[in-house]
Amino acid sequence: MSFSSNTEVLVLGFLCLLFTMAQPHNPKCSDDFNKLITERNIANCTKFTALDAEFGWAYHNDSRVEILIGAPVESKTGWLAWGVNPSKRAQMVGTRALIGIKQPNNSLTLNTYNVTKYTKLGCQLLPSNLDVQVIDKKMGFLSQNNFLYIYAVMNLTGYNNSALNIVWQVGFHSDGEEPKMHHKYLQNFDSRETINLKNEKISALGESRDHLRTVHGILNIAGYGVFFPIGVVVARYFRRFPFKKPWWKEAHKYCQLIGFLLGSTGWAIGLWLGNASKGYIFRTHRILGIFIFTFTTVQMLAWRLRPSPTDEYRKYWNMYHHFLGYALISLTIINIFEGISNLKPDNMHWKWGYIGILIALAGIGTGFELYTWFAFFKLKKKEKKKNGSTDAGETKHQY
Ligand code: HEM
Ligand code: HEM
Ligand code: HEM
Ligand SMILES: *[C@@H]1O[C@H](CO)[C@@H](O)[C@H](O)[C@H]1NC(C)=O
Ligand SMILES: *[C@@H]1O[C@H](CO)[C@@H](O)[C@H](O)[C@H]1NC(C)=O
Ligand SMILES: *[C@@H]1O[C@H](CO)[C@@H](O)[C@H](O)[C@H]1NC(C)=O
Ligand SMILES: *[C@@H]1O[C@H](CO)[C@@H](O)[C@H](O)[C@H]1NC(C)=O
Ligand SMILES: *[C@@H]1O[C@H](CO)[C@@H](O)[C@H](O)[C@H]1NC(C)=O
Ligand SMILES: *[C@@H]1O[C@H](CO)[C@@H](O)[C@H](O)[C@H]1NC(C)=O
C-alpha cells in the first residue's frame, strides 16, 4: 500500500493550491480610480482588501486633509460610508462618518452621520452634525463598474494624523437617507485601519491578518482534516483485518501526533485572531473549536495513559477511544465548513478544495470498507468449507 505517498500528494497539492491563494494582495489602485484622484491632484493611493475599497489622500496640514474613497456597490439602493474615529482603535462605534446613498430614482445623497453604539444595536441612523469640520464633500457613481465614491476635504485638527483611525463600509439597502444594516461578512468587519496620513505608503494591518487566517485554515485542514482521518484509516484497516501490519500502531500514533501538532498550532492562531479582532465574534466556530482542541487533547492522552491490552478495562478504553475518535472526526468536518463559511462570500476555492479532500478521503475509506467486507466473506466461506463450523464472525469482530 502506497499510503504515505497518497497522503503526501494530497497535502502537497493542497498546500500548493493555498499558497497561490495566499499571494500578497496588490495594493495598486485601478485605472478608473487613478483617473479620479489625478483629476483632483491627489497623488497617494492604496487599495484595501476589505470590500475592495480604494483610498486616495493628500495631507496638507492638520486642518486640511483631502480624501477620496471608492468601492463597488452593486445594489440599487446601496451605500458607501467613510469616517474617522477619535476613540482608541478603529471601530464602528464612535465613527464620524460621511455616507453616500444611491437612491432608487438614481439621484445620490451624501450626508454626515454620527455612528454610535445605538446604531450597532439597531436604532435608526439619520444624518446629523459632526464635531469634526467637513470643508467640502462630493460623491459620484461610475455606472460601468457600479463604483460609488466620496470625495471630502476635512479639518482634522485634534486627530492624530500619524495614527488616524479610519472606517469604511458598504451596505446594500437604504430607505431615503437612512442606511440599513450592512452584511455580516468578515470583509465588513475588516473595513477599518489605523493609518499614517503623513506617509506615502500605508501599511495596512488587514494584509497580515489575511495571511494568518490562511495559515490558520491550512493548518487546521491539514492537521484535523487530513492527518486525523488518515490515522483513523490506518487504525481501522491495518490493525488486524483486512490487513495485519505491525507498523499500524506507530503509523496511527504519529499521524495523530502530527495532526494534533498542526491542528493545535492552527487553533492557537485562530484564538489569537479572534482576540485581535474586536467588535465581532464567530460564536459557533469558536465554541466548536475550543471543544475540538479540548477533546483531541484528551484523546492524545492515549499516548501514555491506556490500559495494557491484557487489562480487563481495555475493552472499555477501546470503546471510549473509538467513540471519541469518530465524534471528533465529525466535529472537525463541521467546524472546517463553519470556518470556511466565515470567509463568505469569497470562499469558493476553500470550499471546493476541502470538498475535494473529503471526496478523496471518502473514496479511500469506502474502498477499504468494501475490501474489508469482501475479504471477510471470502474468509468465512473458506472456513466454512474447511471445518464446517464458523468462527469468522469472531475474526471480523475482533478487528
Ligand atoms: C446602518 C446601520 C448599521 C448597523 C445596524 C450596523 C450594525 C453592526 C453590527 C451589529 C455589527 C457587529 C456584527 C457582529 O458582531 O456580528 C457591526 C460591525 C461593524 N460595522 Fe456596522 N452597522 C451599521 C452601520 C455601519 C457604518 C455606517 C459603518 C462605517 C462607518 C459600520 C462599520 C462597521 C464595522 C467596521 C464593523 C466591525 C466591528 C466593529 O468595528 O465594531 N457599520 N455593525
Ligand atoms: C486525537 C487523536 C486520535 C484520534 C482521533 C484517534 C482515533 C482513533 C480511532 C477512530 C480508532 C478506531 C479505529 C477503528 O478501528 O475503527 C483508534 C484506535 C486506536 N488508537 Fe487512536 N486516535 C488518536 C490518538 C491515539 C494515540 C495518541 C494513541 C496511542 C499512542 C492511540 C491508540 C490507539 C489504539 C491502540 C487503537 C486501537 C484500539 C483497539 O484495539 O481497538 N490513538 N484511534
Ligand atoms: C476544525 C478546524 C478548526 C478549528 C478547531 C478552528 C478554531 C478556531 C478558533 C478557536 C477561532 C477563534 C474564534 C474566536 O475567538 O472568535 C477561529 C477563528 C477563525 N477561523 Fe477557524 N478553526 C478551524 C478551521 C477553520 C478553517 C478551515 C477556516 C477557513 C478556511 C477557518 C477560519 C477562521 C476564521 C476566518 C476565523 C476568524 C478570525 C478572525 O476573527 O479574524 N477556521 N477558528
Ligand atoms: C503624496 O504624494 C505626493 C507626490 O508624490 C507627495 O509630494 C506627498 O508628500 C505625498 N504624501 C502625502 C501625505 O500627501
Ligand atoms: C493648510 O493648507 C492649506 C492648503 O494647502 C492652506 O490654505 C492653509 O493655510 C494651511 N493651514 C495651516 C494652518 O497651515
Ligand atoms: C479646524 O478646526 C479647529 C478645531 O476644530 C479650529 O480651531 C480651526 O480654526 C479650524 N481650521 C480651519 C482652517 O477651519
Ligand atoms: C430622488 O429621491 C430623493 C430622495 O428620495 C429626493 O430627495 C430627490 O429629490 C429625488 N430626485 C429626483 C430627481 O426625483
Ligand atoms: C456623536 O456621538 C458621540 C458618542 O459616540 C458623542 O460623544 C458626540 O457628542 C456626538 N456628536 C454629535 C455632534 O452629536
Ligand atoms: C500619534 O501617534 C503616533 C504613532 O502611534 C505616536 O507616536 C504619537 O505620540 C501620537 N501623538 C499624539 C499627539 O498622540
Side-chain angles (χ1 to χ4, degrees):
M1 274 293 133
S2 57
F3 228 153
S4 58
S5 69
N6 262 349
T7 322
E8 269 164 36
V9 169
L10 254 177
V11 173
L12 279 180
F14 184 65
L15 289 182
C16 285
L17 177 84
L18 293 182
F19 185 74
T20 39
M21 288 165 35
Q23 285 307 298
H25 163 75
N26 185 5
K28 275 219 178 72
C29 290
S30 65
D31 291 343
D32 282 330
F33 195 74
N34 273 323
K35 218 169 108 202
L36 291 175
I37 59 170
T38 40
E39 274 169 13
R40 290 167 178 80
N41 272 327
I42 298 175
N44 306 298
C45 180
T46 194
K47 188 168 178 177
F48 293 121
T49 331
L51 305 169
D52 288 325
E54 305 191 47
F55 180 63
W57 73 102
Y59 174 82
H60 303 287
N61 49 48
D62 276 359
S63 51
R64 192 173 176 86
V65 172
E66 274 180 279
I67 66 104
L68 188 74
I69 176 105
V73 178
E74 311 280 333
S75 151
K76 205 167 160 46
T77 52
W79 52 267
L80 170 69
W82 180 87
V84 291
N85 198 318
S87 41
K88 273 215 196 78
R89 51 192 169 78
Q91 61 179 24
M92 171 177 156
V93 171
T95 298
R96 276 64 172 160
L98 288 153
I99 305 184
I101 302 178
K102 269 163 71 180
Q103 298 295 343
N105 62 8
N106 290 327
S107 72
L108 303 169
T109 52
L110 177 61
N111 285 295
T112 54
Y113 297 77
N114 200 20
V115 180
T116 63
K117 64 173 186 242
Y118 302 107
T119 317
K120 202 167 182 177
L121 290 174
C123 296
Q124 274 193 320
L125 179 59
L126 291 171
S128 68
N129 290 326
L130 296 184
D131 48 14
V132 50
Q133 193 188 349
V134 181
I135 301 163
D136 190 13
K137 61 183 197 305
K138 289 193 176 62
M139 75 181 289
F141 182 63
L142 307 178
S143 50
Q144 72 269 22
N145 45 6
N146 282 323
F147 196 81
L148 204 57
Y149 64 88
I150 294 173
Y151 167 77
V153 184
M154 316 265 289
N155 173 357
L156 293 180
T157 305
Y159 284 78
N160 186 346
N161 286 305
S162 5
L164 182 69
N165 295 321
I166 64 165
V167 183
W168 63 99
Q169 192 58 270
V170 166
F172 48 96
H173 189 51
S174 57
D175 179 9
E177 297 192 327
E178 186 204 347
K180 300 280 199 194
M181 177 65 186
H182 47 81
H183 280 301
K184 283 192 181 183
Y185 298 148
L186 206 49
Q187 294 202 38
N188 301 79
F189 301 154
D190 283 350
S191 51
R192 48 198 171 136
E193 291 286 351
T194 300
I195 62 171
N196 185 348
L197 268 190
K198 298 176 185 169
N199 256 1
E200 264 125 74
K201 281 234 163 56
I202 281 180
S203 51
L205 229 181
E207 307 301 309
S208 54
R209 206 166 41 206
D210 277 351
H211 286 295
L212 271 184
R213 283 186 190 133
T214 308
V215 172
H216 166 77
I218 293 175
L219 286 177
N220 280 329
I221 292 180
Y224 293 145
V226 175
F227 277 97
F228 273 3
I230 297 275
V232 170
V233 165
V234 169
R236 189 173 172 88
Y237 301 107
F238 291 82
R239 186 166 77 250
R240 193 164 296 162
F241 195 81
F243 307 107
K244 193 176 168 111
K245 302 283 182 198
W247 48 256
W248 81 268
K249 204 166 179 177
E250 295 300 298
H252 178 64
K253 260 166 78 169
Y254 285 102
C255 261
Q256 307 317 64
L257 179 66
I258 295 170
F260 180 71
L261 293 178
L262 293 177
S264 303
T265 313
W267 176 81
I269 293 174
L271 274 192
W272 185 88
L273 280 168
N275 289 341
S277 44
K278 304 269 195 301
Y280 64 90
I281 192 170
F282 293 103
R283 193 160 279 109
T284 318
H285 187 62
R286 179 187 167 89
I287 292 171
L288 279 177
I290 291 171
F291 208 80
I292 288 169
F293 173 74
T294 311
F295 285 99
T296 50
T297 308
V298 170
Q299 191 79 331
M300 286 310 286
L301 292 179
W303 196 277
R304 310 239 52 159
L305 298 177
R306 74 180 178 281
S308 81
T310 52
D311 198 306
E312 60 174 310
Y313 291 111
R314 176 59 178 236
K315 80 168 186 267
Y316 300 112
W317 180 87
N318 284 353
M319 276 162 65
Y320 134 83
H321 187 78
H322 286 212
F323 174 77
L324 191 54
Y326 285 109
L328 280 172
I329 296 290
S330 324
L331 280 185
T332 52
I333 294 174
I334 294 172
N335 211 32
I336 287 171
F337 276 118
E338 194 65 38
I340 289 173
S341 88
N342 292 347
L343 298 174
K344 267 190 290 190
D346 299 323
N347 61 351
M348 278 320 184
H349 35 349
W350 283 97
K351 205 174 200 163
W352 289 109
Y354 182 57
I355 288 177
I357 290 179
L358 275 185
I359 290 174
L361 288 171
I364 294 173
T366 317
F368 277 123
E369 196 62 35
L370 288 177
Y371 182 78
T372 304
W373 286 98
F374 171 76
F376 168 63
F377 284 119
K378 217 170 91 180
L379 187 73
K380 203 171 152 185
K381 224 165 148 188
K382 218 164 89 190
E383 279 180 8
K384 225 177 187 170
K385 243 188 216 157
K386 226 181 185 171
N387 49 20
S389 79
T390 169
D391 47 54
E394 278 298 297
T395 316
K396 172 77 177 90
H397 274 291
Q398 269 171 8
Y399 82 85

